[in-house]
Amino acid sequence: MSDRPFPSRKPKFQRPHGKSGRRDPYARRPNFEIDTTILYGWHPVAEALRNGKRTIRRILATENSARRLSEELGTLPIEPEIVRPDEINRLLEPDAVHQGLYAEADPLPSPSVDTLSGTRVVLALDQITDPHNVGAIVRTAAAFDVEAIITTARHSPAATGVLAKSASGGLEHVPFMIVRNLGDALTALGERGFQRIGLDSTGETNLDEVPITLPVVLVLGSEGKGLRQRTRDCCDVIGRLDMPGAIKSLNVSNAAAISLYAVVKGAARTTAK
């Protein structure tokens, strides 16, 4: 029997040996193929352990991190395997900041068009491919109590690895709804009475001036390309953010924060009337 602290078999998301400097290789695989969620770092792992809907399969932790987990969370659903930091390093991309914690878990349950309550804002992402940006958006969405994030099965990063780390625990609070065609999903939401608001720099109306009613879905396009034509056609209104300064465009994660604030506040004002 091996004297290694855990089995030597590398999980199937492991980058090929010797390849370095690459972005998370698992992040660009179609979401419907994901059967293992990889979490690393304090906030992603700790929030997953606090989430009663998340099934944890395995935890690797350094002695200090395992002690901190026990002190802050109490009894854990699964006993961590105590390892050295370099054992976790070998499972992740170069320079990944894991803080002595790594976990493998089941993906969270996904909502559907029919199960969305419509009482909270829904966010849709139109081919935003950078897992760091999507992770930052997830964190913001959790802060604004977004009910779900809709992404496509292709041209979207998977809810694992780098994305989960960038979300800093937000992944446990905002479920992903994976669809094959965003236009079809928006059409179905429209049939259910959802107001569909697209955000684009060429929008015809300042987002602050858009009357917002629940149920509502806010649609964000990718940096550079913005919303695709069919996505635009499936929206009821295309709003824009008017910037008073010299820089007129924002990173998509920053735009998400500002636009979510506007939509959540707008929906609350309408509901209060």
Side-chain angles (χ1 to χ4, degrees), residues 139-193:
R139 185 175 183 178
T140 297
F144 283 106
D145 196 32
V146 166
E147 182 170 7
I149 294 176
I150 303 174
T151 63
T152 52
R154 297 186 180 277
H155 307 295
S156 298
T160 185
V162 171
L163 187 157
K165 182 65 168 73
S166 299
S168 193
L171 192 62
E172 305 305 314
H173 303 284
V174 188
F176 271 58
M177 176 177 151
I178 312 302
V179 300
R180 291 185 180 272
N181 187 290
L182 183 58
D184 291 347
L186 292 174
T187 298
L189 287 172
E191 292 170 351
R192 284 200 56 203

Side-chain angles (χ1 to χ4, degrees), residues 99-212:
Q99 298 168 292
L101 284 174
Y102 166 97
E104 297 173 16
D106 287 352
L108 288 170
S110 296
S112 67
V113 169
D114 294 329
T115 60
L116 292 172
S117 70
T119 60
R120 293 148 61 198
V121 174
V122 173
L123 185 63
L125 307 181
D126 187 17
Q127 295 193 355
I128 301 176
T129 58
D130 188 312
H132 297 89
N133 277 337
V134 177
I137 291 170
V138 171
R139 185 175 183 178
T140 297
F144 283 106
D145 196 32
V146 166
E147 182 170 7
I149 294 176
I150 303 174
T151 63
T152 52
R154 297 186 180 277
H155 307 295
S156 298
T160 185
V162 171
L163 187 157
K165 182 65 168 73
S166 299
S168 193
L171 192 62
E172 305 305 314
H173 303 284
V174 188
F176 271 58
M177 176 177 151
I178 312 302
V179 300
R180 291 185 180 272
N181 187 290
L182 183 58
D184 291 347
L186 292 174
T187 298
L189 287 172
E191 292 170 351
R192 284 200 56 203
F194 274 74
Q195 181 185 23
R196 299 159 298 180
I197 302 174
L199 184 71
D200 195 277
S201 60
T202 62
E204 63 267 19
T205 308
N206 187 329
L207 188 59
D208 285 340
E209 300 171 357
V210 176
I212 297 170

